[in-house]
Amino acid sequence: MEEENLEEVVKSFEELGVCEPLIEACAKLGWNTPTKIQSDAIPHALEGKDIIGLAQTGSGKTGAFALPIIQALLEAKSPQSFFGCVLSPTRELAIQIAEQFEALGASIGLKTAVLVGGVDMNQQQFALGKRPHIIVATPGRLMDHLTNTKGFSLRTLKYLVLDEADKLLNADFEKSLDDILKVIPLKRRTFLFSATMTKKVKKLQRACLRNPVKIETTTKYSTVDTLKQQFLFVPAKHKHCYLVYILMEMSGRAMVFTGTRSASHFLALMLRNLGLRAVPYNGKMAQAKRLGALNKFKSGDCSILICSEVGSRGLDIPSVDMVINYDIPDNSKDYIHRVGRTARAKRSGVAISLVNQYEVEQFFMIENLVGKKISKYPAEEEEVLQLLERVNEAKRISNMKMKESGGKKRRREMRDDDEEETKKYLNKGNKFRKTSKKSRR
C-alpha cells in the first residue's frame, strides 16, 4: 500500500485542483479553507487513486470524497446516471451526505437519491426512475432495490464510497455489503473512510481497494484538541440529579447519550417535567419522528437531544456545545464517536461523563483508549442534592405518563429494555467487585 501525505497544509481549494464551479459552491457553504483530511485526500482522489482515509469525526470527510466525485462527473464526456454510490451505516448520515452532495452540485443540476429503511420503497423507486447521478444508501435498503426494483442496477458505477466503514462491517450490514460488492463493477474508484481502524476494516481494504493511498490525519483513537473532556463520579441512585444539575449549569445545546431506548424516552419526559426543552432520539422511533426530533434540535426549538447509541454516528450538527455520557458505553470506541458530535469543524465543545460505581472499569478503559487522564467536573454534592426533591417528583410524573400512554406493547418493550439494563448493571457490579482492588488509574 502506498502511504502518502501532503507535506504542506494547502490554503485553498484551488491549490488542491478543485475546479471553479465547485470552489464557488464551497464558498457558499462557508468552506473557505480545506480541512486536513480534504487537503490530504482530494489531490490523490483527483488523480484517480483509491483512498483509505482515517480521520476524526467532524473533520470534513464528506467534502473529501464528494468534491472529487462531482468533479469527475463534470469532466465526463456526458452526464452519467448512477455515477457514484455512498454507503452509510445510518439513515440520518445518509440524508446528510445527500444534502451536502446536492448543495455542492446545485449549480450543475446534480441529482441524488437516498435509499434508506423506514421510507416507502415506491417513493424511492420513483426517485431511481429519474436516473440520479449519486445514490446514498444504507446497505440493506440498497440491496433490496438491487434485488426487487425492475431495471435498476449499478453497472455504470464509477465511484464507491464506504463511509464509517468500521460500523458498516458489523453483523447488521456485513452480508448486504458482501452482496453489493459482488454485483458492482470491479473497474471503479473506491474511497473508504473511518474514524477508527479495525481488523475488519483492514480486511475490507484488501478486498475492495486497489493500491490505495492511505491518508491518516489522526492517531488511532483520538479526540480533537478543541474538545474539553471531563468526568464526574456519582452514585447510581443520584445520577438523574447530577444530569439535571449539569444541564442547568451549562448553556447551549446538548446531546445526552443513554444505554437503552426506554431510558432516552424516560429522561426526555423527566427533563420536560422540569421545564427543560428535551426530545428523545432512538432507533425504535419511526423515521418521521426521528427526523422531527432532529429538526427540532437543529432549529433550536429544543436544546437537549436524548440519544441511544444510534445518535453517535454521522449526525453533523455544528452547534452542539456539549455531549453528556449519562451511561458509559460498554465499547470504549463508541465513546470516540459519541464525543465526536461536539467540537466539530474546529469549534470548541465539552464532553462530560457521569460514572457510577458499576462503570468505573469502562471509564478507565476509555482513558486508556484516548491516552490521557480526563479531568474532573467541579460539582458540590450538597448543591446538587438540593435538586433531589424536584427531580424525584419529575421522575414520578414521568413514570406515570409512560405507563398511561404505553399500552401492552410499549410496556413490554420497556420491560425488555429494563431487564437488559438491569442485567448489564448486575454484570458490571459483579465485575467491578472482582476487579476494583486491582484497578489503577
Side-chain angles (χ1 to χ4, degrees):
M1 179 187 296
E2 183 181 358
E3 296 192 20
E4 298 181 26
N5 277 312
L6 297 182
E7 293 180 0
E8 298 180 359
V9 176
V10 180
K11 296 181 179 179
S12 72
F13 285 103
E14 184 179 5
E15 291 177 84
L16 299 179
V18 176
C19 63
E20 188 60 33
L22 291 181
I23 292 173
E24 292 175 3
C26 288
K28 288 179 181 178
L29 290 175
W31 298 3
N32 299 315
T33 306
T35 65
K36 185 69 167 64
I37 187 66
Q38 292 166 358
S39 295
D40 289 356
I42 288 174
H44 296 301
L46 291 176
E47 290 172 5
K49 296 178 180 177
D50 283 6
I51 300 289
I52 175 167
L54 300 176
Q56 298 150 330
T57 55
S59 60
K61 287 184 287 181
T62 303
F65 61 74
L67 288 168
I69 293 174
I70 298 173
Q71 185 152 321
L73 181 63
L74 280 169
E75 293 170 353
K77 293 180 180 179
S78 59
Q80 298 180 35
S81 57
F82 308 127
F83 186 78
C85 177
V86 183
L87 293 180
S88 154
T90 69
R91 302 169 184 178
E92 288 73 23
L93 178 57
I95 292 167
Q96 289 177 174
I97 291 170
E99 287 173 349
Q100 289 209 353
F101 266 99
E102 288 167 0
L104 290 168
S107 64
I108 61 171
L110 183 78
K111 293 186 292 185
T112 68
V114 179
L115 309 180
V116 297
V119 179
D120 183 58
M121 286 270 292
N122 292 329
Q123 293 178 20
Q124 294 174 353
Q125 288 168 347
F126 181 73
L128 290 173
K130 294 183 177 181
R131 313 291 292 176
H133 305 105
I134 306 294
I135 291 171
V136 189
T138 50
R141 181 51 64 95
L142 177 60
M143 202 61 219
D144 287 343
H145 282 286
L146 287 170
T147 305
N148 302 312
T149 298
K150 188 175 180 181
F152 170 58
S153 76
L154 292 176
R155 287 191 296 269
T156 61
L157 188 73
K158 297 294 186 292
Y159 284 85
L160 173 68
V161 180
L162 305 170
D163 196 19
E164 301 279 2
D166 54 335
K167 187 70 172 179
L168 284 172
L169 292 167
N170 69 20
D172 295 332
F173 304 116
E174 197 164 3
K175 185 181 184 308
S176 295
L177 185 57
D178 288 342
D179 292 340
I180 291 166
L181 292 174
K182 290 174 185 175
V183 297
I184 61 175
L186 290 174
K187 190 177 180 181
R188 65 174 192 271
R189 298 273 69 83
T190 304
F191 301 153
L192 184 155
F193 285 86
S194 179
T196 53
M197 173 60 84
T198 65
K199 290 180 181 179
K200 285 189 175 182
V201 173
K202 288 180 181 178
K203 182 180 178 182
L204 179 63
Q205 81 180 45
R206 290 194 296 270
C208 70
L209 279 76
R210 295 183 300 174
N211 299 318
V213 175
K214 183 179 180 182
I215 308 296
E216 188 168 2
T217 64
T218 179
T219 54
K220 190 175 181 183
Y221 302 112
S222 69
T223 51
V224 294
D225 293 335
T226 54
L227 175 68
K228 183 180 182 180
Q229 300 176 75
Q230 297 178 301
F231 78 95
L232 194 55
F233 283 133
V234 302
K237 64 180 179 179
H238 291 151
K239 191 180 261 196
H240 294 87
C241 207
Y242 277 88
L243 173 65
V244 173
Y245 174 81
I246 291 170
L247 290 171
M248 287 182 168
E249 286 288 305
M250 305 289 283
S251 59
R253 274 183 261 193
M255 292 179 69
V256 179
F257 283 95
T258 67
T260 64
R261 295 185 297 266
S262 64
S264 70
H265 279 287
F266 179 80
L267 286 180
L269 268 177
M270 184 197 77
L271 293 173
R272 286 203 295 266
N273 290 332
L274 290 164
L276 298 171
R277 296 177 299 155
V279 290
Y281 176 84
N282 60 65
K284 197 67 177 177
M285 295 166 64
Q287 184 65 17
K289 288 187 176 181
R290 279 165 64 172
L291 290 176
L294 273 183
N295 289 334
K296 284 182 181 179
F297 187 62
K298 287 180 178 180
S299 68
D301 286 346
C302 79
S303 57
I304 304 166
L305 192 68
I306 313 293
C307 306
S308 65
E309 207 60 59
V310 72
S312 67
R313 298 280 185 142
L315 296 186
D316 187 12
I317 308 170
S319 54
V320 175
D321 302 289
M322 176 172 56
V323 165
I324 298 177
N325 289 300
Y326 179 79
D327 291 319
I328 304 302
D330 290 328
N331 187 337
S332 302
K333 295 171 191 174
D334 289 336
Y335 173 87
I336 303 292
H337 295 287
R338 286 183 179 189
V339 301
R341 298 311 101 203
T342 188
R344 299 175 72 82
K346 301 180 181 178
R347 295 177 177 86
S348 60
V350 178
I352 302 171
S353 298
L354 299 179
V355 186
N356 69 25
Q357 62 266 39
Y358 307 119
E359 298 169 319
V360 175
E361 187 175 355
Q362 289 97 302
F363 178 71
F364 288 166
M365 289 171 66
I366 287 169
E367 285 191 322
N368 288 333
L369 188 72
V370 299
K372 63 181 179 182
K373 295 296 180 184
I374 296 173
S375 61
K376 188 175 181 180
Y377 178 84
E380 294 294 332
E381 184 180 26
E382 185 177 341
E383 192 174 344
V384 173
L385 295 183
Q386 287 178 7
L387 297 168
L388 188 58
E389 188 175 343
R390 287 175 59 198
V391 170
N392 283 340
E393 178 63 12
K395 286 167 62 178
R396 186 186 67 79
I397 295 170
S398 300
N399 275 318
M400 260 185 357
K401 285 182 178 177
M402 289 188 79
K403 288 176 182 177
E404 288 170 2
S405 63
K408 289 183 179 180
K409 183 178 178 181
R410 180 71 198 130
R411 286 197 293 272
R412 185 169 63 249
E413 289 169 355
M414 287 173 58
R415 189 164 56 248
D416 290 344
D417 264 353
D418 288 341
E419 288 174 2
E420 173 192 338
E421 192 171 42
T422 301
K423 288 177 183 176
K424 181 177 75 173
Y425 280 125
L426 285 173
N427 289 336
K428 287 177 184 176
N430 291 334
K431 199 171 183 181
F432 171 70
R433 282 188 286 273
K434 290 177 183 177
T435 60
S436 58
K437 291 182 180 179
K438 299 178 182 178
S439 298
R440 293 291 184 271
R441 289 216 46 197

